[in-house]
Amino acid sequence: MKNIYFCFVLCLFVTSISFAQHPNKQTSSDIYESVKKLNFLGSVLYVAAHPDDENTRLIAYMSNHVKARTAYLSLTRGDGGQNLIGPELRELLGVIRTQELLAARGVDGGEQLFSRANDFGYSKHPDETLEIWDKDKVLHDVVLAIRTFKPDVIINRFDHRRAGRTHGHHTSSALLSMEAFDITNSPSVYPEQVSEHGLWQPKRLFYNTSWWRYGSREAFDKIDKSNMISFDIGVYYPLKGLSNNELASIASSQHLCQGFGRLTSRGTQEEFIEFLKGDPLNGSSDVFEGIDTSWNRIDGGAEIGKILNEIEANFNFVDPSTHLPKLLEAYQLLSKVKDEHWKRIKTKELKAIIESCAGLYLEASSETNWATANEVVSINIEALNRSQTPMILQSITTSTNLDVQKQINLKENITFNFKESISIPKNQEPTTPYWLAEKGTLGMYKADKNLIGKPETPRVFNVDFNLLINQIPITFTKPIVYRYSEPDKGELYKPFEIIPEATAALTEKVYIFENNQQKDVEVIVKAGRKNLEGSVQMAYPQGWEVYPKTQKVSIENKGDFQKLVFTIIPPNEQSEGLITPMVTVGNKTYTRELIEIDYAHIPFQTVLLPSESKIVRLDIQKNGEHIGYIKGAGDAIPESLEQIGYRVETIEPSEITPQLISKFDAIVLGIRAYNTLDDLKFKQDILFDYVAQGGNLIAQYSTSYRLKTEPLAPYDFSISRDRVTDENAEVRFLEPEHPVLNSPNKITSKDFEGWTQERGLYFSNEWADEFTPILSMNDNGEDPKLGSLIVAKHGKGYYVYTGLSFFREFPAGVSGAYRLFANLLSLGKTNTKTN
């Protein structure tokens, strides 16, 4: 019953989070809430660093209780995090987390903004963060967000005074917000912004503090709170049937790839914000103290406010369409307002209310979810007026080439369906997340200046429905979508995308050659149009060979694909590089891969990225070949081990028996397995006995928070938050003669070259005498961390705990990571030639 309730509530609030999902169909209560928000002219900007940093309780409170226009500025898209629901990392994870943020805002009622900062991974100090990010560019984006959103109030999620004591990204977000507050009204600061967006000075800046900032609730109770104000964010919303904290929990639960699914909570709950700078509150607990948030705020607004306040006071829940004449009158008055900022915002809100009150249903759906440049696409148009208000559909137009006069009298509850065609321009660029269109740097994405800050790439193909409602012209713009159904899911929506006429993908992102034996590599060419004819060849590094040099491709139907096999011949010595399939059609060559991301909780996503894979001729030896793998939170370790010749079998924890696991040369636990797998607590003794009988058990990192089982090993050890974020940090060998560093591969400092994003995370910091620490490493200015790799002999076998980030290094084709992991798997096995 709980799941049914959750899904029902979710449907109520997520219907409008994306053009790719079901259209927003508001109830009378929803419309009434929209009218109340329409009558509040005040804005709040919440600032933090990552998806899931935001306090959904406070965003929901400001949006739904205060009725303020509220936005969350996330400086990054969370590209550096882990993915608990699938294999996507880095850029693709950023796409998922962007959509999860939009889903969260669709629930809590906020808007979503970004900067160009790239989440390069954990940072221990803002100095490092701001150097890698390029402080000036990120500050530019924060100032731009303030000048465009024009918040009266800014609330920082993190404390600017905590440098070096928390995530560097977190502190940086607060420092940048503090600095931006002081300069957004200066014409000499980023003057290129001023001509288009003007200047703006927020009234106040706050810090969203909490007891955790002070270590405990008891410590927080003792501090001076005279500079703070608090809110009861447990307020109940009868029209929603939910309290604010329930709403916030549902919003936060949209961050599924970060494991934020959670129970809802109810009841009184205090939230605190600390005043930092700006106009004093003068003893008030209202963040908008001294700010006129009524329609009187703008010239010409008083008359509009009078009309809309009357509608709010006398709202007709049974038949909201009775308010259409007055709403249309307000719409005409609003069109004459000179304040362009509020006119734009409130016109959009007012039009949505008019649309809902009229029961208007306007849709433009294509017969496919994607097309290519120079293609003609058929569009199904549906128009329906479910009110008695006189309404004429005068015409439909697009920004490209469609302009069709209709003059259709939209009679009450009579559906009008017709078809039109649009031509995709010959030079139309494909659809892809705009921040991934060009290669950026470690810390910054590149973006067109007109797109900076936007959560998504704006849709190019929209249909304008030009209506005459009660003789008043109003245009409603709808993006073209793809509407379809599946027998087991019902009606579904996807966005309408533009893709290249040809794309090519390699089936693996890394190809490891453990010796000089050739491998066959499969290339999949997908046709974006009918009758695709062309050729494919490979770009590859010097010293390698590819056969054949060129192959023909011929695909008859749009959407079909053809598989081609190329043979890759490695050099005799260790070497690495990139291979890229190049598809030539006519005089054009295509080198990008079309990636589809399909999860139920976010809209369907298509992403175009360079089609390239790393090839590595690896100097590696290994002992044992049959590996059991217990999946944790999701990684590509099994596929990576298969690349170097291991036979990997996935083990379900519930199926673990002594007989089943006795056949494996080693067993590997996936990342966060001890945080995600309940059944492991019933199987630990079996796994420990397996080790005692001569097996190897390698546990990749888990976190100490929410462990599902203890003990984790045959001997005591603890997991800390210790990590080394510098991927180039010096690695020192504590036990140079230990088998881990010598058999069957001789590990040297060279094996720690070329690591990506970090050395590792969640190291052990305490362990029993039976454990031997193997490596020492640290970030600059810190004490050595010894717990990245600890090994204990137990009976005839070995138990290993490692926080080294193999889950990042394997997909990146880091040679040394493969060699070291092969040694872990080989512990206690028959020795072979050492390399």
Side-chain angles (χ1 to χ4, degrees):
M1 189 65 187
K2 186 187 296 182
N3 288 338
I4 295 174
Y5 170 77
F6 179 83
C7 291
F8 171 72
V9 169
L10 199 57
C11 288
L12 288 178
F13 293 100
V14 189
T15 53
S16 62
I17 64 175
S18 170
F19 42 73
Q21 292 182 304
H22 290 72
N24 190 12
K25 301 173 184 177
Q26 290 195 319
T27 66
S28 293
S29 296
D30 296 330
I31 300 171
Y32 176 66
E33 293 278 8
S34 297
V35 172
K36 293 178 74 175
K37 291 196 75 168
L38 183 64
N39 281 329
F40 191 94
L41 280 70
S43 301
V44 176
L45 181 65
Y46 198 85
V47 180
H50 310 107
D52 73 34
D53 282 347
E54 80 273 25
N55 184 346
T56 54
R57 299 183 303 274
L58 194 51
I59 291 175
Y61 180 89
M62 289 295 171
S63 179
N64 295 279
H65 182 72
V66 178
K67 307 301 180 186
R69 180 178 179 236
T70 308
Y72 172 41
L73 171 59
S74 176
L75 296 191
T76 77
R77 297 176 185 268
D79 326 71
Q82 287 87 51
N83 184 358
L84 303 187
I85 62 173
E88 297 87 357
L89 292 174
R90 293 301 307 147
E91 294 90 349
L92 297 180
L93 178 59
V95 173
I96 293 173
R97 298 190 74 182
T98 294
Q99 292 301 319
E100 289 182 339
L101 273 174
L102 289 171
R105 299 295 78 78
V107 175
D108 61 33
E111 300 176 34
Q112 187 60 53
L113 304 171
F114 289 97
S115 84
R116 289 169 291 172
N118 188 345
D119 178 4
F120 56 85
Y122 193 89
S123 175
K124 294 182 177 178
H125 199 281
D127 289 349
E128 176 198 41
T129 298
L130 294 174
E131 181 179 351
I132 294 175
W133 272 356
D134 189 332
K135 177 188 172 183
D136 184 66
K137 289 181 179 177
V138 184
L139 181 61
H140 165 283
D141 295 356
V142 176
V143 171
L144 179 64
I146 294 172
R147 285 174 173 170
T148 54
F149 189 76
K150 302 189 186 310
D152 300 300
V153 174
I154 297 175
I155 302 175
N156 291 345
R157 179 54 167 151
F158 299 107
D159 191 345
H160 63 286
R161 299 157 292 200
R162 300 271 291 171
R165 287 179 284 175
T166 184
H167 197 323
H169 297 184
H170 293 170
T171 310
S172 295
S173 71
L175 289 169
L176 291 166
S177 177
M178 291 283 288
E179 185 172 349
F181 184 91
D182 294 332
I183 61 177
T184 55
N185 207 33
S186 172
S188 63
V189 175
Y190 307 118
E192 73 282 359
Q193 298 176 4
V194 177
S195 59
E196 185 174 355
H197 305 291
L199 300 172
W200 184 253
Q201 181 56 59
K203 295 295 183 182
R204 296 184 182 93
L205 177 64
F206 296 90
Y207 157 51
N208 184 195
T209 190
S210 177
W211 66 263
W212 46 260
R213 161 64 175 82
Y214 297 88
S216 68
R217 295 182 188 276
E218 292 75 20
F220 185 62
D221 289 341
K222 295 176 183 177
I223 68 168
D224 177 12
K225 298 184 180 65
S226 59
N227 205 34
M228 298 181 187
I229 58 177
S230 65
F231 315 97
D232 178 7
I233 53 84
V235 61
Y236 179 63
Y237 303 127
L239 291 176
K240 300 181 187 298
L242 292 169
S243 61
N244 187 79
N245 34 16
E246 285 178 294
L247 195 65
S249 296
I250 297 169
S252 183
S253 290
Q254 302 312 300
H255 296 295
L256 294 182
C257 74
Q258 300 302 293
F260 267 58
R262 61 188 57 186
L263 292 172
T264 56
S265 60
R266 288 150 290 280
T268 296
Q269 186 176 348
E270 270 195 303
E271 191 74 46
F272 292 86
I273 59 174
E274 176 188 354
F275 176 77
L276 296 178
K277 62 171 67 176
D279 292 357
L281 285 164
N282 300 320
S284 173
S285 60
D286 181 7
V287 298
F288 290 98
E289 166 66 22
I291 302 170
D292 189 350
T293 58
S294 74
W295 278 98
N296 294 326
R297 179 171 188 164
I298 60 176
D299 290 340
E303 193 173 353
I304 299 171
K306 182 179 179 182
I307 294 171
L308 297 176
N309 284 318
E310 280 186 20
I311 293 174
E312 180 181 336
N314 302 284
F315 189 77
N316 187 338
F317 285 88
V318 176
D319 185 8
S321 69
T322 58
H323 300 299
L324 281 171
K326 285 295 184 180
L327 289 169
L328 291 167
E329 183 181 344
Y331 175 78
Q332 287 183 299
L333 291 171
L334 184 55
S335 67
K336 301 173 184 177
V337 166
K338 294 181 180 180
D339 188 319
E340 291 298 327
H341 173 71
W342 283 113
K343 180 164 76 171
R344 175 180 56 82
I345 294 166
K346 293 303 177 182
T347 297
K348 180 180 178 181
E349 292 180 14
L350 182 52
K351 284 172 64 175
I353 292 170
I354 291 170
E355 183 178 2
S356 294
C357 285
L360 255 179
Y361 188 88
L362 304 170
E363 183 177 86
S365 60
S366 69
E367 296 180 347
T368 176
N369 70 305
W370 42 261
T372 58
N374 205 32
E375 184 177 347
V376 176
V377 179
S378 178
I379 304 297
N380 300 307
I381 303 294
E382 180 177 352
L384 172 63
N385 168 25
R386 288 173 283 197
S387 73
Q388 296 180 1
T389 302
M391 201 173 301
I392 295 172
L393 176 59
Q394 293 183 302
S395 64
I396 58 169
T397 56
T398 68
S399 60
T400 51
N401 48 32
L402 184 67
D403 187 351
V404 182
Q405 296 299 311
K406 288 296 180 183
Q407 300 301 325
I408 297 174
N409 182 12
L410 297 179
K411 297 178 181 179
E412 183 184 2
N413 212 30
I414 303 297
T415 301
F416 290 88
N417 291 293
F418 51 92
K419 290 183 181 291
E420 299 293 342
S421 295
I422 62 169
S423 297
I424 310 299
K426 292 181 180 179
N427 59 350
Q428 182 62 53
E429 288 294 317
T431 310
T432 196
Y434 70 85
W435 62 95
L436 299 179
E438 291 185 63
K439 188 173 180 62
T441 65
L442 174 64
M444 296 297 296
Y445 283 119
K446 290 184 178 180
D448 183 294
K449 67 181 183 66
N450 296 315
L451 299 177
I452 294 172
K454 295 183 183 297
E456 300 178 285
T457 304
R459 295 287 145 176
V460 174
F461 294 96
N462 303 292
V463 172
D464 292 334
F465 291 79
N466 304 305
L467 275 73
L468 207 59
I469 305 177
N470 254 1
Q471 300 303 309
I472 296 173
I474 302 183
T475 296
F476 296 94
T477 301
K478 300 294 178 181
I480 297 175
V481 295
Y482 172 53
R483 182 165 66 104
Y484 65 107
S485 67
E486 292 185 2
D488 58 338
K489 295 178 182 178
E491 184 177 64
L492 298 170
Y493 283 77
K494 285 184 179 180
F496 176 68
E497 312 275 29
I498 305 301
I499 65 171
E501 61 179 337
T503 55
L506 292 151
T507 53
E508 302 289 344
K509 284 302 172 187
V510 177
Y511 294 94
I512 304 293
F513 294 76
E514 58 178 313
N515 50 43
N516 60 3
Q517 297 299 305
Q518 65 188 35
K519 281 189 177 183
D520 287 341
V521 170
E522 192 172 70
V523 176
I524 301 175
V525 179
K526 185 172 184 177
R529 62 168 176 82
K530 295 190 297 182
N531 300 320
L532 183 76
E533 300 283 344
S535 62
V536 183
Q537 57 183 327
M538 300 285 284
Y540 54 92
Q542 187 174 1
W544 295 69
E545 293 295 332
V546 174
Y547 178 83
K549 297 297 183 186
T550 304
Q551 295 192 58
K552 296 289 186 181
V553 62
S554 178
I555 305 175
E556 182 178 353
N557 297 314
K558 174 181 177 179
D560 280 354
F561 59 87
Q562 182 176 339
K563 294 182 179 180
L564 305 171
V565 175
F566 288 86
T567 299
I568 309 294
I569 305 170
N572 291 323
E573 303 300 326
Q574 185 158 313
S575 173
E576 60 184 55
L578 296 174
I579 54 172
T580 296
M582 300 182 296
V583 184
T584 300
V585 180
N587 59 0
K588 291 186 177 180
T589 298
Y590 299 93
T591 59
R592 289 196 283 179
E593 173 185 3
L594 180 67
I595 301 165
E596 297 179 340
I597 300 176
D598 191 7
Y599 289 102
H601 68 299
I602 60 173
F604 185 88
Q605 300 291 300
T606 58
V607 184
L608 284 169
L609 290 178
S611 181
E612 59 185 23
S613 293
K614 190 171 184 179
I615 49 175
V616 180
R617 165 63 170 94
L618 188 58
D619 184 10
I620 189 170
Q621 296 291 328
K622 57 189 187 299
N623 296 320
E625 62 174 31
H626 195 185
I627 309 300
Y629 198 86
I630 301 173
K631 289 185 177 180
D635 57 50
I637 299 293
E639 296 85 348
S640 299
L641 294 178
E642 288 172 346
Q643 284 265 10
I644 55 174
Y646 285 105
R647 183 159 56 97
V648 183
E649 185 176 330
T650 300
I651 308 171
E652 293 296 330
S654 60
E655 298 173 355
I656 292 175
T657 64
Q659 296 75 24
L660 174 70
I661 64 176
S662 63
K663 63 185 177 182
F664 296 115
D665 295 310
I667 293 175
V668 180
L669 288 167
I671 59 174
R672 298 198 187 193
Y674 286 129
N675 300 123
T676 58
L677 302 176
D678 290 296
D679 285 348
L680 274 182
K681 60 187 172 186
F682 305 116
K683 305 294 183 177
Q684 285 291 83
D685 288 342
I686 298 175
L687 291 172
F688 296 162
D689 287 343
Y690 162 80
V691 175
Q693 295 301 316
N696 289 347
L697 182 61
I698 300 168
Q700 297 180 89
Y701 89 88
S702 287
T703 69
S704 58
Y705 180 61
R706 291 183 177 176
L707 284 169
K708 299 287 188 180
T709 182
E710 289 189 77
L712 305 182
Y715 312 108
D716 290 339
F717 80 94
S718 63
I719 299 171
S720 72
R721 297 186 64 84
D722 288 349
R723 64 203 303 160
V724 173
T725 62
D726 181 359
E727 62 269 35
N728 299 310
E730 179 188 1
V731 177
R732 298 171 290 274
F733 297 165
L734 299 174
E735 296 289 337
E737 303 305 317
H738 196 282
V740 165
L741 299 176
N742 292 279
S743 178
N745 303 289
K746 180 67 175 178
I747 302 301
T748 69
S749 59
K750 186 175 179 61
D751 288 296
F752 290 94
E753 295 178 2
W755 284 52
T756 181
Q757 186 161 323
E758 62 198 354
R759 287 295 189 201
L761 65 171
Y762 298 108
F763 297 170
S764 178
N765 62 344
E766 294 181 356
W767 49 82
D769 292 341
E770 287 82 359
F771 279 103
T772 300
I774 306 298
L775 305 173
S776 170
M777 60 187 72
N778 56 273
D779 283 318
N780 187 39
E782 294 189 350
D783 293 333
K785 304 293 188 292
L786 311 182
S788 64
L789 177 61
I790 57 175
V791 181
K793 187 77 185 296
H794 178 57
K796 300 177 182 178
Y798 290 86
Y799 180 96
V800 177
Y801 175 80
T802 179
L804 294 172
S805 58
F806 291 105
F807 74 102
R808 293 197 191 280
E809 311 316 317
F810 282 5
V814 177
S815 302
Y818 280 93
R819 285 165 48 85
L820 178 57
F821 207 86
N823 282 12
L824 296 177
L825 295 172
S826 300
L827 278 169
K829 305 299 184 293
T830 303
N831 194 25
T832 63
K833 179 183 175 181
T834 299
N835 289 295

